[in-house]
């Protein structure tokens, strides 16, 4: 399965600022996914990112708040914009290899103060 | 869309005993059901998965069973060890629906 590197691993940010999270996969993958995991909660899909096309956002998530880039088949970024304390969460990148098999990065732990 | 329910939310088991976590799903088109283990400070790790054309799959101490008619699947861990303590998530996805929908998670504690 693919190995995913995600950075930063954690950050503390001021409200109103933006943070860009990077996700690097060690092999070419068609689909990459961004999830949010609020403290003590399950994983909620933010958006699906395919190379060469705009990301597809889930209900409740909008591009202005969570812009995503997917410049090639091994890399993606998620930006959390105009942050508020409610954005404090773990953000996870995931990719799918083959027909199945979703692999996750170790996550970015974001605290907004 | 798909909805996945998971029970119990917490589970404490004596070391050496078995643990069972159950999930139900709503979309009959779902055909892929993975289980993830998440340790503190880490991302979810795939521990076992099953596809809809299989009723049971086993990997050493871990097994998953699937009942497509009832739309539920279960994780079985035998001979539990302290290192099995973690949060476990079930999930579902299917052809034409590439995204994983996760259950709410089960915090498993193994009591030495």
């Amino acid at each position: 399965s693919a190995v995913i590197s995600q950075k930063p691993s954690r950050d503390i940010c001021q409200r109103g600022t933006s943070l860009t999270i990077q996700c690097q996969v060690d092999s070419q993958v068609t689909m990459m996914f961004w999830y949010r995991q609020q403290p003590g909660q399950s994983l909620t899909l933010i958006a699906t990112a395919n190379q060469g096309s705009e990301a597809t956002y889930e209900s409740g998530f909008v591009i202005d708040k969570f812009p995503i880039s997917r410049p090639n088949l091994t890399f993606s970024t998620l930006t959390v914009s105009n942050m508020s304390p409610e954005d404090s969460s773990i953000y996870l990148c995931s990719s799918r290899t083959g027909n199945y098999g979703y692999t996750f990065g170790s996550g970015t732990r974001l605290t907004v103060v | 869309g798909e909805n996945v329910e998971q029970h119990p939310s917490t589970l404490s088991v004596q070391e050496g005993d078995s643990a069972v976590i159950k999930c139900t799903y709503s979309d009959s088109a779902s055909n892929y059901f993975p289980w993830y283990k998440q340790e503190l400070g880490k991302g979810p790790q795939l521990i076992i998965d099953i596809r809809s054309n299989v009723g049971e799959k086993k990997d050493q101490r871990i097994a998953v069973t699937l009942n497509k008619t009832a739309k539920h699947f279960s994780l079985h861990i035998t001979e539990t060890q302290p290192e099995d303590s973690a949060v476990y998530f079930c999930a579902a996805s299917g052809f034409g629906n590439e995204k994983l929908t996760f259950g709410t998670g089960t915090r498993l504690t193994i009591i030495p």
Side-chain angles (χ1 to χ4, degrees):
Chain A
S1 60
V3 175
I4 298 178
S5 302
Q6 201 174 324
K7 60 180 180 182
S9 59
R10 62 178 65 243
D11 207 341
I12 301 173
C13 300
Q14 295 290 324
R15 66 177 68 200
T17 63
S18 297
L19 175 71
T20 295
I21 302 167
Q22 298 180 8
C23 179
Q24 179 76 51
V25 188
D26 70 345
S27 59
Q28 293 185 340
V29 293
T30 304
M31 308 186 75
M32 295 181 74
F33 306 87
W34 288 97
Y35 288 84
R36 182 175 72 183
Q37 187 176 26
Q38 294 178 304
Q41 302 296 312
S42 185
L43 286 78
T44 301
L45 182 64
I46 297 172
T48 302
N50 290 330
Q51 194 267 336
S53 63
E54 287 192 5
T56 303
Y57 289 83
E58 297 299 305
S59 176
F61 298 96
V62 295
I63 187 172
D64 289 347
K65 177 68 175 178
F66 298 101
I68 288 171
S69 77
R70 183 79 201 276
N72 57 52
L73 291 173
T74 64
F75 188 78
S76 180
T77 67
L78 169 76
T79 299
V80 186
S81 302
N82 188 25
M83 289 183 286
S84 66
E86 292 71 35
D87 295 319
S88 297
S89 289
I90 300 172
Y91 292 86
L92 292 150
C93 170
S94 173
S95 71
R96 192 185 72 168
T97 52
N99 290 326
Y100 298 98
Y102 297 78
T103 304
F104 285 83
S106 55
T108 296
R109 283 145 191 83
L110 171 62
T111 302
V112 183
V113 297
Chain B
E2 176 68 280
N3 181 52
V4 178
E5 296 187 356
Q6 183 172 347
H7 299 282
S9 57
T10 61
L11 179 62
S12 294
V13 175
Q14 286 290 140
E15 181 178 354
D17 288 349
S18 297
V20 180
I21 302 171
K22 299 181 179 182
C23 288
T24 60
Y25 61 98
S26 61
D27 189 349
S28 57
S30 290
N31 62 359
Y32 176 64
F33 308 94
W35 285 89
Y36 287 87
K37 176 183 182 181
Q38 187 174 29
E39 297 175 306
L40 192 62
K42 297 183 178 180
Q45 274 196 305
L46 178 68
I47 55 172
I48 196 167
D49 57 10
I50 192 167
R51 304 179 191 181
S52 60
N53 59 344
V54 176
E56 183 174 358
K57 183 177 179 180
K58 190 174 182 180
D59 182 4
Q60 299 183 341
R61 298 186 297 109
I62 295 174
V64 56
T65 59
L66 171 65
N67 183 327
K68 284 221 70 176
T69 302
K71 289 192 280 189
H72 67 71
F73 56 111
S74 300
L75 177 71
H76 305 254
I77 306 175
T78 59
E79 301 173 9
T80 53
Q81 301 168 3
E83 52 265 37
D84 294 328
S85 294
V87 178
Y88 291 80
F89 292 98
C90 63
S93 75
F95 285 124
N97 175 20
E98 309 293 354
K99 57 190 179 183
L100 283 176
T101 301
F102 281 84
T104 48
T106 297
R107 182 172 299 278
L108 175 63
T109 301
I110 306 302
I111 305 167

